[in-house]
Amino acid sequence: MATNAPQPEVLRYTAFSTTPDGGNPAGVVLDATGLDDGDMLAVAAGLGYSESAFLTAPPEDLGGQEGRAYGIRYFSPKAEVPFCGHATVAAAVALAERIGPGRLVFATRAGTVPVEVTEENGTLRATLTSVEPYVEKVDEDDLAEALAALDWPAADLDPAFPPRVAFAGARHLVLAAATRARLADLAYDFARLEALMHRLDLTTVQLVWRESDTVFHVRDPFPVGGVVEDPATGAAAAAFGAYARELGLVPEDAVLTLHQGEDLGRPGELTVTLRAGDPRVRISGAGTRIG
């Protein structure tokens, strides 16, 4: 940004938590008009959060109610990402505080993402609907490289959850740990995993442990974004919902609870809703302003 140009107002919100010290923080710029890619990257890098959201005027063909439809882009401290769930929730909550709860529509680089914001007992909660997902198999050599970078023996994987790449706006490698202790012990080779993720066009690695039929604990290494670990990852949660349904691990109609951030001291909760006959995945969570 030129030194004499107006500086954008950068808001700070956390998603998937009702308290500022939980969930995943995101920067939100409600008016990114005039900011170029370098400007947005500089704001995101200055904040240091895993992602920040930048809102602009909507494309003409987006639809949605006037004043409640926006273009949106997402930047990590190192690069732009096509879609980010927690920053979408953060932006939706920030907008709802200003224009009221209700339906919003965002044009992302991955496609159109509608969001419904509701308020209950003073808490704002956003539910986003993903773009249509897909799930694909992982090459054995790529899987071996991922496990080597994580320093996870193959025997520590849960055989009921086959490794896959899943997409619901961004690509994530889904790996399931056989025990909670395995999930808790995360000390990986940053550069090695980053290189593999760039080659496979992955946004995070979605590490999962199943507590019960509908409750999961998850962690998301995010070296390609310049962040060791993402505290609460809506895009990965959507991808995981698609993965679990595709492989028949959950019913076609299901509500799943994902706990994330506990190992980082930032506990968050993500709700994943699957509906029979609709391939899209719905991700819900609370949000609140930081500071």
Side-chain angles (χ1 to χ4, degrees), residues 239-283:
F240 175 72
Y243 157 91
R245 177 175 54 195
E246 174 85 6
L247 273 66
L249 301 167
V250 299
E252 289 188 15
D253 268 313
V255 178
L256 313 177
T257 300
L258 273 56
H259 295 287
Q260 190 174 355
E262 293 174 348
D263 299 282
L264 295 173
R266 293 195 64 92
E269 183 175 295
L270 302 86
T271 302
V272 179
T273 302
L274 306 172
R275 296 181 181 174
D278 187 348
R280 301 172 301 170
V281 182
R282 288 160 178 81
I283 303 298

mmCIF file of all heavy atoms in Angstrom, residues 239-283:
data_model
loop_
_atom_site.group_PDB
_atom_site.id
_atom_site.type_symbol
_atom_site.label_atom_id
_atom_site.label_comp_id
_atom_site.label_asym_id
_atom_site.label_seq_id
_atom_site.Cartn_x
_atom_site.Cartn_y
_atom_site.Cartn_z
ATOM 1 N N ALA A 239 -14.233 -30.882 4.095
ATOM 2 C CA ALA A 239 -13.622 -31.961 3.325
ATOM 3 C C ALA A 239 -13.741 -33.284 4.068
ATOM 4 O O ALA A 239 -14.016 -34.331 3.465
ATOM 5 C CB ALA A 239 -12.159 -31.626 3.040
ATOM 6 N N PHE A 240 -13.550 -33.255 5.385
ATOM 7 C CA PHE A 240 -13.662 -34.481 6.167
ATOM 8 C C PHE A 240 -15.090 -35.017 6.156
ATOM 9 O O PHE A 240 -15.311 -36.230 6.076
ATOM 10 C CB PHE A 240 -13.210 -34.244 7.608
ATOM 11 C CG PHE A 240 -13.426 -35.442 8.487
ATOM 12 C CD1 PHE A 240 -12.624 -36.565 8.347
ATOM 13 C CD2 PHE A 240 -14.444 -35.466 9.421
ATOM 14 C CE1 PHE A 240 -12.840 -37.693 9.132
ATOM 15 C CE2 PHE A 240 -14.661 -36.582 10.216
ATOM 16 C CZ PHE A 240 -13.847 -37.704 10.062
ATOM 17 N N GLY A 241 -16.074 -34.130 6.236
ATOM 18 C CA GLY A 241 -17.461 -34.582 6.160
ATOM 19 C C GLY A 241 -17.740 -35.301 4.858
ATOM 20 O O GLY A 241 -18.392 -36.358 4.843
ATOM 21 N N ALA A 242 -17.241 -34.738 3.758
ATOM 22 C CA ALA A 242 -17.419 -35.381 2.461
ATOM 23 C C ALA A 242 -16.713 -36.729 2.424
ATOM 24 O O ALA A 242 -17.256 -37.720 1.895
ATOM 25 C CB ALA A 242 -16.888 -34.469 1.358
ATOM 26 N N TYR A 243 -15.519 -36.777 2.964
ATOM 27 C CA TYR A 243 -14.743 -38.021 3.029
ATOM 28 C C TYR A 243 -15.481 -39.095 3.834
ATOM 29 O O TYR A 243 -15.627 -40.238 3.385
ATOM 30 C CB TYR A 243 -13.386 -37.698 3.657
ATOM 31 C CG TYR A 243 -12.653 -38.851 4.296
ATOM 32 C CD1 TYR A 243 -11.749 -39.620 3.576
ATOM 33 C CD2 TYR A 243 -12.851 -39.158 5.643
ATOM 34 C CE1 TYR A 243 -11.072 -40.681 4.166
ATOM 35 C CE2 TYR A 243 -12.183 -40.207 6.247
ATOM 36 C CZ TYR A 243 -11.283 -40.962 5.507
ATOM 37 O OH TYR A 243 -10.624 -42.006 6.103
ATOM 38 N N ALA A 244 -15.953 -38.734 5.025
ATOM 39 C CA ALA A 244 -16.598 -39.717 5.896
ATOM 40 C C ALA A 244 -17.869 -40.271 5.259
ATOM 41 O O ALA A 244 -18.169 -41.465 5.368
ATOM 42 C CB ALA A 244 -16.913 -39.081 7.247
ATOM 43 N N ARG A 245 -18.607 -39.416 4.572
ATOM 44 C CA ARG A 245 -19.824 -39.883 3.893
ATOM 45 C C ARG A 245 -19.474 -40.742 2.682
ATOM 46 O O ARG A 245 -20.078 -41.808 2.478
ATOM 47 C CB ARG A 245 -20.667 -38.685 3.462
ATOM 48 C CG ARG A 245 -21.928 -39.059 2.692
ATOM 49 C CD ARG A 245 -22.783 -37.849 2.401
ATOM 50 N NE ARG A 245 -22.022 -36.805 1.723
ATOM 51 C CZ ARG A 245 -22.445 -35.540 1.608
ATOM 52 N NH1 ARG A 245 -23.594 -35.169 2.131
ATOM 53 N NH2 ARG A 245 -21.717 -34.642 0.966
ATOM 54 N N GLU A 246 -18.512 -40.314 1.886
ATOM 55 C CA GLU A 246 -18.119 -41.048 0.677
ATOM 56 C C GLU A 246 -17.679 -42.466 0.999
ATOM 57 O O GLU A 246 -17.997 -43.411 0.269
ATOM 58 C CB GLU A 246 -16.977 -40.293 -0.025
ATOM 59 C CG GLU A 246 -16.373 -41.005 -1.222
ATOM 60 C CD GLU A 246 -17.132 -40.751 -2.509
ATOM 61 O OE1 GLU A 246 -18.083 -39.929 -2.500
ATOM 62 O OE2 GLU A 246 -16.799 -41.386 -3.505
ATOM 63 N N LEU A 247 -16.978 -42.638 2.122
ATOM 64 C CA LEU A 247 -16.465 -43.954 2.489
ATOM 65 C C LEU A 247 -17.435 -44.750 3.358
ATOM 66 O O LEU A 247 -17.101 -45.840 3.812
ATOM 67 C CB LEU A 247 -15.113 -43.814 3.200
ATOM 68 C CG LEU A 247 -13.889 -43.774 2.272
ATOM 69 C CD1 LEU A 247 -13.902 -42.516 1.405
ATOM 70 C CD2 LEU A 247 -12.598 -43.858 3.045
ATOM 71 N N GLY A 248 -18.633 -44.203 3.598
ATOM 72 C CA GLY A 248 -19.633 -44.917 4.373
ATOM 73 C C GLY A 248 -19.298 -45.018 5.848
ATOM 74 O O GLY A 248 -19.814 -45.901 6.549
ATOM 75 N N LEU A 249 -18.487 -44.098 6.356
ATOM 76 C CA LEU A 249 -18.101 -44.115 7.768
ATOM 77 C C LEU A 249 -19.152 -43.471 8.657
ATOM 78 O O LEU A 249 -19.138 -43.662 9.879
ATOM 79 C CB LEU A 249 -16.753 -43.416 7.938
ATOM 80 C CG LEU A 249 -15.601 -44.043 7.129
ATOM 81 C CD1 LEU A 249 -14.402 -43.118 7.103
ATOM 82 C CD2 LEU A 249 -15.231 -45.397 7.708
ATOM 83 N N VAL A 250 -20.032 -42.681 8.061
ATOM 84 C CA VAL A 250 -21.147 -42.050 8.767
ATOM 85 C C VAL A 250 -22.368 -42.141 7.853
ATOM 86 O O VAL A 250 -22.231 -42.334 6.643
ATOM 87 C CB VAL A 250 -20.850 -40.572 9.119
ATOM 88 C CG1 VAL A 250 -19.648 -40.459 10.044
ATOM 89 C CG2 VAL A 250 -20.633 -39.742 7.852
ATOM 90 N N PRO A 251 -23.577 -41.984 8.388
ATOM 91 C CA PRO A 251 -24.772 -42.018 7.534
ATOM 92 C C PRO A 251 -24.817 -40.837 6.583
ATOM 93 O O PRO A 251 -24.132 -39.815 6.779
ATOM 94 C CB PRO A 251 -25.921 -41.960 8.546
ATOM 95 C CG PRO A 251 -25.330 -42.365 9.852
ATOM 96 C CD PRO A 251 -23.909 -41.922 9.823
ATOM 97 N N GLU A 252 -25.642 -40.953 5.536
ATOM 98 C CA GLU A 252 -25.794 -39.838 4.593
ATOM 99 C C GLU A 252 -26.408 -38.627 5.276
ATOM 100 O O GLU A 252 -26.115 -37.489 4.914
ATOM 101 C CB GLU A 252 -26.652 -40.268 3.406
ATOM 102 C CG GLU A 252 -25.964 -41.246 2.476
ATOM 103 C CD GLU A 252 -26.772 -41.495 1.215
ATOM 104 O OE1 GLU A 252 -27.701 -40.706 0.927
ATOM 105 O OE2 GLU A 252 -26.473 -42.468 0.516
ATOM 106 N N ASP A 253 -27.290 -38.851 6.217
ATOM 107 C CA ASP A 253 -27.816 -37.788 7.086
ATOM 108 C C ASP A 253 -27.083 -37.894 8.413
ATOM 109 O O ASP A 253 -27.254 -38.888 9.132
ATOM 110 C CB ASP A 253 -29.315 -37.965 7.324
ATOM 111 C CG ASP A 253 -30.157 -37.208 6.319
ATOM 112 O OD1 ASP A 253 -29.876 -36.031 6.070
ATOM 113 O OD2 ASP A 253 -31.089 -37.817 5.770
ATOM 114 N N ALA A 254 -26.278 -36.902 8.745
ATOM 115 C CA ALA A 254 -25.497 -36.993 9.983
ATOM 116 C C ALA A 254 -25.114 -35.603 10.457
ATOM 117 O O ALA A 254 -24.964 -34.669 9.667
ATOM 118 C CB ALA A 254 -24.236 -37.835 9.759
ATOM 119 N N VAL A 255 -24.954 -35.478 11.766
ATOM 120 C CA VAL A 255 -24.399 -34.279 12.383
ATOM 121 C C VAL A 255 -23.186 -34.720 13.190
ATOM 122 O O VAL A 255 -23.319 -35.513 14.132
ATOM 123 C CB VAL A 255 -25.422 -33.555 13.277
ATOM 124 C CG1 VAL A 255 -24.771 -32.337 13.931
ATOM 125 C CG2 VAL A 255 -26.651 -33.142 12.469
ATOM 126 N N LEU A 256 -22.031 -34.219 12.810
ATOM 127 C CA LEU A 256 -20.771 -34.597 13.448
ATOM 128 C C LEU A 256 -20.229 -33.423 14.245
ATOM 129 O O LEU A 256 -20.411 -32.260 13.859
ATOM 130 C CB LEU A 256 -19.740 -35.004 12.395
ATOM 131 C CG LEU A 256 -20.204 -35.979 11.309
ATOM 132 C CD1 LEU A 256 -19.078 -36.220 10.309
ATOM 133 C CD2 LEU A 256 -20.700 -37.275 11.919
ATOM 134 N N THR A 257 -19.552 -33.714 15.333
ATOM 135 C CA THR A 257 -18.892 -32.695 16.141
ATOM 136 C C THR A 257 -17.387 -32.911 16.054
ATOM 137 O O THR A 257 -16.894 -34.005 16.343
ATOM 138 C CB THR A 257 -19.340 -32.762 17.606
ATOM 139 O OG1 THR A 257 -20.755 -32.551 17.664
ATOM 140 C CG2 THR A 257 -18.630 -31.697 18.439
ATOM 141 N N LEU A 258 -16.675 -31.862 15.665
ATOM 142 C CA LEU A 258 -15.216 -31.914 15.589
ATOM 143 C C LEU A 258 -14.636 -30.986 16.646
ATOM 144 O O LEU A 258 -14.974 -29.786 16.690
ATOM 145 C CB LEU A 258 -14.729 -31.473 14.207
ATOM 146 C CG LEU A 258 -14.638 -32.541 13.103
ATOM 147 C CD1 LEU A 258 -15.970 -33.241 12.898
ATOM 148 C CD2 LEU A 258 -14.127 -31.930 11.811
ATOM 149 N N HIS A 259 -13.783 -31.535 17.501
ATOM 150 C CA HIS A 259 -13.062 -30.741 18.496
ATOM 151 C C HIS A 259 -11.651 -30.485 17.964
ATOM 152 O O HIS A 259 -10.946 -31.415 17.566
ATOM 153 C CB HIS A 259 -12.990 -31.483 19.828
ATOM 154 C CG HIS A 259 -14.320 -31.687 20.473
ATOM 155 N ND1 HIS A 259 -15.027 -30.658 21.070
ATOM 156 C CD2 HIS A 259 -15.092 -32.800 20.609
ATOM 157 C CE1 HIS A 259 -16.161 -31.127 21.550
ATOM 158 N NE2 HIS A 259 -16.230 -32.421 21.281
ATOM 159 N N GLN A 260 -11.258 -29.229 17.976
ATOM 160 C CA GLN A 260 -9.942 -28.865 17.459
ATOM 161 C C GLN A 260 -9.358 -27.742 18.312
ATOM 162 O O GLN A 260 -10.087 -26.935 18.883
ATOM 163 C CB GLN A 260 -10.040 -28.423 15.992
ATOM 164 C CG GLN A 260 -8.694 -28.253 15.301
ATOM 165 C CD GLN A 260 -8.836 -27.958 13.810
ATOM 166 O OE1 GLN A 260 -9.936 -27.974 13.263
ATOM 167 N NE2 GLN A 260 -7.726 -27.693 13.148
ATOM 168 N N GLY A 261 -8.049 -27.695 18.398
ATOM 169 C CA GLY A 261 -7.370 -26.622 19.118
ATOM 170 C C GLY A 261 -7.048 -26.942 20.556
ATOM 171 O O GLY A 261 -6.336 -26.172 21.214
ATOM 172 N N GLU A 262 -7.537 -28.064 21.081
ATOM 173 C CA GLU A 262 -7.270 -28.408 22.477
ATOM 174 C C GLU A 262 -5.778 -28.577 22.729
ATOM 175 O O GLU A 262 -5.267 -28.171 23.775
ATOM 176 C CB GLU A 262 -8.013 -29.690 22.848
ATOM 177 C CG GLU A 262 -9.527 -29.545 22.852
ATOM 178 C CD GLU A 262 -10.243 -30.866 23.083
ATOM 179 O OE1 GLU A 262 -9.573 -31.922 23.014
ATOM 180 O OE2 GLU A 262 -11.461 -30.841 23.323
ATOM 181 N N ASP A 263 -5.077 -29.163 21.777
ATOM 182 C CA ASP A 263 -3.640 -29.388 21.954
ATOM 183 C C ASP A 263 -2.832 -28.099 21.841
ATOM 184 O O ASP A 263 -1.647 -28.074 22.188
ATOM 185 C CB ASP A 263 -3.150 -30.407 20.921
ATOM 186 C CG ASP A 263 -3.841 -31.746 21.069
ATOM 187 O OD1 ASP A 263 -3.472 -32.512 21.979
ATOM 188 O OD2 ASP A 263 -4.773 -32.021 20.284
ATOM 189 N N LEU A 264 -3.459 -27.042 21.347
ATOM 190 C CA LEU A 264 -2.800 -25.738 21.232
ATOM 191 C C LEU A 264 -3.234 -24.772 22.325
ATOM 192 O O LEU A 264 -2.779 -23.632 22.359
ATOM 193 C CB LEU A 264 -3.132 -25.106 19.868
ATOM 194 C CG LEU A 264 -2.608 -25.825 18.632
ATOM 195 C CD1 LEU A 264 -3.165 -25.169 17.377
ATOM 196 C CD2 LEU A 264 -1.087 -25.782 18.608
ATOM 197 N N GLY A 265 -4.142 -25.210 23.185
ATOM 198 C CA GLY A 265 -4.673 -24.315 24.207
ATOM 199 C C GLY A 265 -5.695 -23.337 23.677
ATOM 200 O O GLY A 265 -6.010 -22.340 24.325
ATOM 201 N N ARG A 266 -6.257 -23.624 22.470
ATOM 202 C CA ARG A 266 -7.304 -22.782 21.879
ATOM 203 C C ARG A 266 -8.477 -23.678 21.480
ATOM 204 O O ARG A 266 -8.731 -23.885 20.288
ATOM 205 C CB ARG A 266 -6.802 -22.026 20.644
ATOM 206 C CG ARG A 266 -5.748 -20.966 20.916
ATOM 207 C CD ARG A 266 -5.600 -20.053 19.711
ATOM 208 N NE ARG A 266 -6.830 -19.319 19.458
ATOM 209 C CZ ARG A 266 -7.100 -18.112 19.954
ATOM 210 N NH1 ARG A 266 -6.222 -17.508 20.741
ATOM 211 N NH2 ARG A 266 -8.239 -17.520 19.678
ATOM 212 N N PRO A 267 -9.205 -24.240 22.434
ATOM 213 C CA PRO A 267 -10.261 -25.189 22.082
ATOM 214 C C PRO A 267 -11.359 -24.561 21.235
ATOM 215 O O PRO A 267 -11.788 -23.431 21.486
ATOM 216 C CB PRO A 267 -10.793 -25.638 23.450
ATOM 217 C CG PRO A 267 -10.416 -24.540 24.389
ATOM 218 C CD PRO A 267 -9.118 -23.997 23.885
ATOM 219 N N GLY A 268 -11.779 -25.306 20.225
ATOM 220 C CA GLY A 268 -12.867 -24.867 19.366
ATOM 221 C C GLY A 268 -13.755 -26.044 19.025
ATOM 222 O O GLY A 268 -13.368 -27.208 19.193
ATOM 223 N N GLU A 269 -14.953 -25.750 18.545
ATOM 224 C CA GLU A 269 -15.903 -26.804 18.185
ATOM 225 C C GLU A 269 -16.542 -26.477 16.844
ATOM 226 O O GLU A 269 -17.065 -25.387 16.634
ATOM 227 C CB GLU A 269 -16.979 -26.932 19.261
ATOM 228 C CG GLU A 269 -17.964 -28.068 18.994
ATOM 229 C CD GLU A 269 -18.949 -28.250 20.126
ATOM 230 O OE1 GLU A 269 -18.498 -28.611 21.249
ATOM 231 O OE2 GLU A 269 -20.160 -28.008 19.914
ATOM 232 N N LEU A 270 -16.475 -27.448 15.935
ATOM 233 C CA LEU A 270 -17.040 -27.309 14.604
ATOM 234 C C LEU A 270 -18.140 -28.342 14.434
ATOM 235 O O LEU A 270 -17.970 -29.515 14.786
ATOM 236 C CB LEU A 270 -15.982 -27.528 13.519
ATOM 237 C CG LEU A 270 -14.741 -26.620 13.544
ATOM 238 C CD1 LEU A 270 -13.669 -27.171 14.477
ATOM 239 C CD2 LEU A 270 -14.154 -26.471 12.145
ATOM 240 N N THR A 271 -19.270 -27.922 13.895
ATOM 241 C CA THR A 271 -20.378 -28.829 13.621
ATOM 242 C C THR A 271 -20.450 -29.084 12.121
ATOM 243 O O THR A 271 -20.492 -28.139 11.326
ATOM 244 C CB THR A 271 -21.712 -28.239 14.113
ATOM 245 O OG1 THR A 271 -21.621 -27.983 15.513
ATOM 246 C CG2 THR A 271 -22.863 -29.193 13.848
ATOM 247 N N VAL A 272 -20.440 -30.353 11.747
ATOM 248 C CA VAL A 272 -20.487 -30.769 10.346
ATOM 249 C C VAL A 272 -21.835 -31.430 10.099
ATOM 250 O O VAL A 272 -22.162 -32.430 10.740
ATOM 251 C CB VAL A 272 -19.347 -31.756 10.024
ATOM 252 C CG1 VAL A 272 -19.409 -32.195 8.570
ATOM 253 C CG2 VAL A 272 -17.998 -31.139 10.342
ATOM 254 N N THR A 273 -22.621 -30.882 9.180
ATOM 255 C CA THR A 273 -23.946 -31.423 8.881
ATOM 256 C C THR A 273 -23.981 -31.957 7.461
ATOM 257 O O THR A 273 -23.642 -31.238 6.508
ATOM 258 C CB THR A 273 -25.031 -30.348 9.065
ATOM 259 O OG1 THR A 273 -24.980 -29.847 10.411
ATOM 260 C CG2 THR A 273 -26.419 -30.919 8.804
ATOM 261 N N LEU A 274 -24.406 -33.221 7.337
ATOM 262 C CA LEU A 274 -24.550 -33.889 6.050
ATOM 263 C C LEU A 274 -26.028 -34.149 5.815
ATOM 264 O O LEU A 274 -26.748 -34.576 6.728
ATOM 265 C CB LEU A 274 -23.785 -35.204 6.041
ATOM 266 C CG LEU A 274 -22.297 -35.122 6.417
ATOM 267 C CD1 LEU A 274 -21.710 -36.514 6.562
ATOM 268 C CD2 LEU A 274 -21.528 -34.318 5.378
ATOM 269 N N ARG A 275 -26.488 -33.921 4.577
ATOM 270 C CA ARG A 275 -27.891 -34.134 4.239
ATOM 271 C C ARG A 275 -27.986 -35.083 3.055
ATOM 272 O O ARG A 275 -27.324 -34.883 2.031
ATOM 273 C CB ARG A 275 -28.571 -32.811 3.898
ATOM 274 C CG ARG A 275 -28.632 -31.830 5.062
ATOM 275 C CD ARG A 275 -29.333 -30.542 4.662
ATOM 276 N NE ARG A 275 -29.368 -29.586 5.757
ATOM 277 C CZ ARG A 275 -29.829 -28.340 5.645
ATOM 278 N NH1 ARG A 275 -30.308 -27.923 4.473
ATOM 279 N NH2 ARG A 275 -29.822 -27.520 6.683
ATOM 280 N N ALA A 276 -28.802 -36.098 3.183
ATOM 281 C CA ALA A 276 -29.012 -37.036 2.088
ATOM 282 C C ALA A 276 -29.549 -36.296 0.868
ATOM 283 O O ALA A 276 -30.426 -35.442 0.982
ATOM 284 C CB ALA A 276 -29.980 -38.131 2.515
ATOM 285 N N GLY A 277 -28.995 -36.609 -0.297
ATOM 286 C CA GLY A 277 -29.448 -35.978 -1.530
ATOM 287 C C GLY A 277 -28.764 -34.668 -1.845
ATOM 288 O O GLY A 277 -28.995 -34.098 -2.921
ATOM 289 N N ASP A 278 -27.934 -34.159 -0.956
ATOM 290 C CA ASP A 278 -27.199 -32.910 -1.185
ATOM 291 C C ASP A 278 -25.721 -33.196 -0.965
ATOM 292 O O ASP A 278 -25.310 -33.481 0.167
ATOM 293 C CB ASP A 278 -27.681 -31.817 -0.232
ATOM 294 C CG ASP A 278 -27.064 -30.449 -0.547
ATOM 295 O OD1 ASP A 278 -26.098 -30.392 -1.340
ATOM 296 O OD2 ASP A 278 -27.545 -29.447 0.011
ATOM 297 N N PRO A 279 -24.890 -33.153 -1.998
ATOM 298 C CA PRO A 279 -23.480 -33.482 -1.822
ATOM 299 C C PRO A 279 -22.701 -32.451 -1.019
ATOM 300 O O PRO A 279 -21.616 -32.756 -0.516
ATOM 301 C CB PRO A 279 -22.952 -33.548 -3.267
ATOM 302 C CG PRO A 279 -23.887 -32.676 -4.045
ATOM 303 C CD PRO A 279 -25.229 -32.839 -3.402
ATOM 304 N N ARG A 280 -23.245 -31.250 -0.890
ATOM 305 C CA ARG A 280 -22.523 -30.206 -0.181
ATOM 306 C C ARG A 280 -22.494 -30.483 1.322
ATOM 307 O O ARG A 280 -23.285 -31.252 1.843
ATOM 308 C CB ARG A 280 -23.151 -28.845 -0.466
ATOM 309 C CG ARG A 280 -23.176 -28.466 -1.940
ATOM 310 C CD ARG A 280 -23.980 -27.215 -2.188
ATOM 311 N NE ARG A 280 -25.360 -27.375 -1.731
ATOM 312 C CZ ARG A 280 -26.237 -26.377 -1.642
ATOM 313 N NH1 ARG A 280 -25.872 -25.145 -1.964
ATOM 314 N NH2 ARG A 280 -27.467 -26.605 -1.224
ATOM 315 N N VAL A 281 -21.569 -29.832 2.003
ATOM 316 C CA VAL A 281 -21.378 -30.027 3.444
ATOM 317 C C VAL A 281 -21.597 -28.691 4.141
ATOM 318 O O VAL A 281 -21.126 -27.650 3.665
ATOM 319 C CB VAL A 281 -19.969 -30.559 3.737
ATOM 320 C CG1 VAL A 281 -19.784 -30.804 5.234
ATOM 321 C CG2 VAL A 281 -19.701 -31.837 2.949
ATOM 322 N N ARG A 282 -22.283 -28.741 5.266
ATOM 323 C CA ARG A 282 -22.526 -27.526 6.049
ATOM 324 C C ARG A 282 -21.669 -27.513 7.284
ATOM 325 O O ARG A 282 -21.599 -28.510 8.013
ATOM 326 C CB ARG A 282 -24.023 -27.424 6.403
ATOM 327 C CG ARG A 282 -24.867 -27.086 5.207
ATOM 328 C CD ARG A 282 -26.323 -27.435 5.354
ATOM 329 N NE ARG A 282 -27.075 -27.008 4.143
ATOM 330 C CZ ARG A 282 -27.125 -27.711 3.007
ATOM 331 N NH1 ARG A 282 -26.499 -28.865 2.918
ATOM 332 N NH2 ARG A 282 -27.804 -27.239 1.970
ATOM 333 N N ILE A 283 -20.999 -26.385 7.515
ATOM 334 C CA ILE A 283 -20.100 -26.217 8.653
ATOM 335 C C ILE A 283 -20.604 -25.064 9.498
ATOM 336 O O ILE A 283 -20.815 -23.952 8.995
ATOM 337 C CB ILE A 283 -18.659 -25.922 8.188
ATOM 338 C CG1 ILE A 283 -18.145 -27.030 7.281
ATOM 339 C CG2 ILE A 283 -17.741 -25.722 9.396
ATOM 340 C CD1 ILE A 283 -18.059 -28.377 7.919
#
